[in-house]
């Protein structure tokens, strides 16, 4: 079986064994790696932390022993968890929110006592794997996710349980090394600079580009020039700044108001759709800059691999 899946093992088994098993000249091959990871059926598991841990344990062994089938099975899965495109990121975020809601219902019905944070893949293990494998294309998404998480270093504390009960997510901070913390702090600083610059340009000129000039019956112009800048500047005070999430929620709000012909923000219908479109454009530009924020070199950023299909 090993011969079929690995050219390395196939070559090993082609070594002549001599005339008898007791022949002192027979070649003996000693394998010192733990093979238990090789038999884990990770592909049959749902998207869970333990599945990710098993997959990332298998990949170095599969690479070492030239097992291309295993590489094709697990590597796309790891890449899909930490994607290079905003569309895939949004898909993952929807899946994660559904997972958290599922475990909330299960606990309410006393079917299980797990929280979503127990099973959702956390970013530090992904960063450790991306650094050592290496798989640099997963690092921007992993570092961005880590940048929006609170520094809860000890599980089991009251703060931890309160956080995950409210649907929050945590990280295994102990897996990070010094260079990882440097990358994280640099990225958080650059993200704040980007948001500060964004607040400074979101003025009257930007509004005229987006929609109509100021007119009676629509409070879009003062709303944009006053409230949006204040909102963005207030966000800079938050340590766990989730730019993509914030802009996404605003875009969804405007889209829903436009589709339902209801403007809670007192904007006219001709303002709402262009606003939602603009916010989504800002999200895309922000995503494009992730590698630069964290000073990460990634080839083919924004180009999703063809083999990713989950």
């Amino acid at each position: 079986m090993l011969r079929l899946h690995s050219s390395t093992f196939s070559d090993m088994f082609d070594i002549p064994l001599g005339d008898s098993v007791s022949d002192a000249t027979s070649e003996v091959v000693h394998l010192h790696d733990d093979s238990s990871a090789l038999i884990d059926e990770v592909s049959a598991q749902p998207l869970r932390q333990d599945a990710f841990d098993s997959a990332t344990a298998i990949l170095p062994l599969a690479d070492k022993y030239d097992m291309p089938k295993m590489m094709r099975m697990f590597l796309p899965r790891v890449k899909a968890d930490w994607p290079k495109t905003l569309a895939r990121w949004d898909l993952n975020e929807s899946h994660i929110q559904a997972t958290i809601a599922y475990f909330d219902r299960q606990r309410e019905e006393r079917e299980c006592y797990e929280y979503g944070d127990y099973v959702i893949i956390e970013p530090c293990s992904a960063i450790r794997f991306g650094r050592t494998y290496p798989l640099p294309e997963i690092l921007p998404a992993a570092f961005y996710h880590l940048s929006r998480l609170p520094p809860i270093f000890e599980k089991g504390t009251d703060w931890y349980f309160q956080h995950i009960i409210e649907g929050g997510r945590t990280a295994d901070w102990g897996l990070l090394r010094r260079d990882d913390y440097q990358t994280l702090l640099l990225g958080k600083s650059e993200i704040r600079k980007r948001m500060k610059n964004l607040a400074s340009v979101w003025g009257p000129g930007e509004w005229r580009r987006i929609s109509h000039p100021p007119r009676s019956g629509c409070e879009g112009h003062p709303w944009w020039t006053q409230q949006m800048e204040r909102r963005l500047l207030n966000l800079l005070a938050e340590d766990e700044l989730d730019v993509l999430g914030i802009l996404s929620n605003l875009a969804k709000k405007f889209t829903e108001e436009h589709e339902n012909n209801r403007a809670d923000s007192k904007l006219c219908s001709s303002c709402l759709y262009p606003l939602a479109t603009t916010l989504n454009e800002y999200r895309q530009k922000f995503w494009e800059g992730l590698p630069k924020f964290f000073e990460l070199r990634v080839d083919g950023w924004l180009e999703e691999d063809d083999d990713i299909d989950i």
Side-chain angles (χ1 to χ4, degrees):
M1 182 63 71
L2 289 173
R3 181 193 297 271
L4 295 176
H5 294 281
S6 169
S7 62
T8 300
F9 284 116
S10 178
D11 292 340
M12 286 181 182
F13 295 139
D14 285 337
I15 298 174
L17 296 178
D19 296 333
S20 69
V21 293
S22 61
D23 191 338
T25 63
S26 297
E27 296 285 344
V28 179
V29 178
H30 296 280
L31 299 179
H32 300 284
D33 290 302
D34 180 5
S35 62
S36 61
L38 293 171
I39 59 175
D40 286 340
E41 296 182 359
V42 180
S43 61
Q45 298 180 10
L47 188 65
R48 296 175 60 105
Q49 180 68 49
D50 53 7
F52 181 83
D53 292 340
S54 297
T56 53
I58 287 173
L59 284 172
L61 297 179
D63 190 23
K64 179 176 181 179
Y65 294 122
D66 189 22
M67 295 181 168
K69 185 175 181 180
M70 281 190 156
M71 299 293 287
R72 291 194 300 269
M73 182 185 303
F74 298 122
L75 202 55
R77 174 125 181 221
V78 175
K79 292 179 181 179
D81 291 339
W82 307 99
K84 295 189 292 183
T85 66
L86 181 58
R88 173 66 66 175
W89 170 269
D90 288 340
L91 182 64
N92 286 357
E93 287 291 280
S94 297
H95 177 92
I96 288 168
Q97 292 305 314
T99 300
I100 292 174
Y102 168 78
F103 280 99
D104 288 345
R105 291 193 302 271
Q106 291 292 95
R107 286 198 316 278
E108 291 175 359
E109 298 170 2
R110 301 189 181 277
E111 295 292 334
C112 77
Y113 296 95
E114 285 186 307
Y115 293 90
D117 188 62
Y118 292 177
V119 301
I120 296 170
I121 300 171
E122 62 86 30
C124 294
S125 56
I127 290 170
R128 189 77 277 114
F129 177 74
R131 295 280 207 193
T132 58
Y133 182 66
L135 197 64
E137 58 260 45
I138 72 174
L139 293 176
F143 270 109
Y144 174 72
H145 175 45
L146 183 61
S147 75
R148 60 183 188 163
L149 297 184
I152 300 178
F153 296 102
E154 295 185 17
K155 295 188 176 183
T157 62
D158 291 341
W159 183 20
Y160 167 77
F161 281 113
Q162 182 62 34
H163 183 66
I164 63 173
I165 287 172
E166 295 174 353
R169 298 162 65 183
T170 62
D172 192 351
W173 294 87
L175 295 176
L176 297 183
R177 297 178 181 176
R178 180 177 179 178
D179 59 335
D180 299 324
Y181 279 106
Q182 291 175 335
T183 299
L184 176 65
L185 293 175
L186 174 65
K188 289 170 74 76
S189 175
E190 291 300 314
I191 288 172
R192 275 167 171 71
K193 289 180 183 177
R194 171 61 67 89
M195 292 300 290
K196 187 175 181 180
N197 291 338
L198 197 59
S200 66
V201 302
W202 274 8
E206 182 70 357
W207 176 260
R208 284 192 293 270
R209 185 188 73 82
I210 295 170
S211 189
H212 56 74
R215 67 188 186 193
S216 61
C218 176
E219 298 185 13
H221 185 269
W223 182 90
W224 178 267
T225 56
Q226 299 171 17
Q227 292 196 34
M228 284 303 297
E229 181 178 5
R230 186 176 70 249
R231 284 191 184 193
L232 292 174
L233 293 177
N234 287 341
L235 291 175
L236 296 176
E238 298 182 7
D239 187 54
E240 301 88 45
L241 179 59
D242 183 9
V243 177
L244 293 173
I246 293 164
L247 296 181
S248 176
N249 290 335
L250 277 174
K252 289 177 181 177
K253 170 183 170 62
F254 293 142
T255 300
E256 291 173 357
E257 290 183 4
H258 175 72
E259 292 176 348
N260 298 328
N261 197 26
R262 175 180 53 84
D264 293 339
S265 49
K266 298 182 180 180
L267 276 67
C268 68
S269 59
S270 60
C271 293
L272 293 172
Y273 184 75
L275 266 177
T277 301
T278 299
L279 292 172
N280 284 323
E281 290 174 354
Y282 286 148
R283 292 184 76 237
Q284 181 62 39
K285 291 179 181 177
F286 180 86
W287 178 268
E288 292 171 3
L290 280 187
K292 185 177 180 181
F293 296 156
F294 295 99
E295 288 193 353
L296 297 167
R297 297 186 62 180
V298 179
D299 294 331
W301 183 246
L302 307 178
E303 299 175 6
E304 202 63 86
D305 296 330
D306 295 335
D307 54 0
I308 294 182
D309 184 17
I310 60 172

